[in-house]
Amino acid sequence: MPLPEKQHYTVDDIYNLPDGQRAELIDGTLYNMAPPGYIHQKLVMELSATLRNHIKAQNGPCEVLPSPFAVFLNGDDATYVEPDISVICNKNKITDNGCYGAPDLIIEIVSPSSRRMDYQVKNNLYSLAGVREYWIVDPARKRTTIYYYEKDEAPMIVPFAESARFGIYNDLEVLIDKMI
């Protein structure tokens, strides 16, 4: 939910938040982030480990970085996000401060407070920024919505009980039901 105090925020405002308070910044609007729950964190861990193990086994160039990890999508000071999982294949985009530019794959785990953000605001943001693939993992609905932006196709909706295949790794699929 946006904070009402100020009309336009910048990355400096993110860094000046009180210790322990997390927020994201999208087009100058600040959004508080609620602490994640158990299922959320379990899915972040399992999906990150699965992706990392696959990349290592293939000697791939990509990095798997779970939240909190800053992603500066637009190269400006008005947008700062912390996707639950970012997969970045161009290591030149990575610094100690975060990722500058679009990750290749972003995964967001839906929380009750993040539903609108994940399905609408971030979907539009990630599509326009050049993210290749976006997964919305929704524990409440027991399904994953997958956008393969670079293929310009309609999203796929995969129930947790069915295997979901990664677009950037055609030889990798996951069964979310087995992860929770």
Side-chain angles (χ1 to χ4, degrees):
M1 149 170 31
L3 298 175
E5 296 92 30
K6 193 174 175 182
Q7 294 294 341
H8 185 80
Y9 292 90
T10 68
V11 171
D12 288 338
D13 294 309
I14 290 285
Y15 287 114
N16 289 321
L17 289 171
D19 285 345
Q21 183 178 350
R22 290 182 53 216
E24 291 180 307
L25 179 68
I26 298 175
D27 296 327
T29 301
L30 196 64
Y31 297 88
N32 274 327
M33 297 172 65
Y38 169 73
I39 295 296
H40 181 281
Q41 289 303 94
K42 184 163 178 59
L43 285 169
V44 168
M45 179 65 182
E46 293 297 328
L47 287 164
S48 294
T50 299
L51 284 160
R52 181 179 174 273
N53 291 343
H54 180 76
I55 292 166
K56 281 192 167 283
Q58 305 295 320
N59 290 320
C62 304
E63 292 278 344
V64 180
L65 298 161
S67 184
F69 184 73
V71 175
F72 304 92
L73 289 169
N74 302 331
D76 60 24
D77 70 345
T79 301
Y80 164 105
V81 292
E82 292 183 4
D84 291 318
I85 301 171
S86 299
V87 177
I88 303 155
C89 298
N90 179 350
K91 291 185 183 178
N92 291 328
K93 293 181 179 181
I94 302 170
T95 72
D96 279 343
N97 294 328
C99 174
Y100 289 84
D104 295 86
L105 167 67
I106 288 179
I107 300 174
E108 296 283 8
I109 314 298
V110 177
S111 300
S113 64
S114 73
R115 181 167 302 286
R116 181 182 163 284
M117 287 292 294
D118 294 338
Y119 279 101
Q120 295 175 12
V121 177
K122 287 184 177 180
N123 182 19
N124 186 53
L125 178 70
Y126 296 156
S127 172
L128 293 174
V131 173
R132 294 171 55 197
E133 184 173 343
Y134 176 41
W135 285 39
I136 304 171
V137 179
D138 193 333
R141 294 183 177 162
K142 296 189 180 296
R143 69 181 190 200
T144 303
T145 304
I146 304 170
Y147 294 86
Y148 302 115
Y149 294 135
E150 67 184 358
K151 293 181 182 177
D152 196 29
E153 298 175 348
M156 292 182 51
I157 297 175
V158 182
F160 281 5
E162 296 177 18
S163 290
R165 183 176 301 276
F166 286 93
I168 66 171
Y169 300 111
N170 289 330
D171 57 341
L172 179 61
E173 57 185 51
V174 294
L175 188 60
I176 304 278
D177 257 355
K178 298 265 185 193
M179 296 182 166
I180 51 178

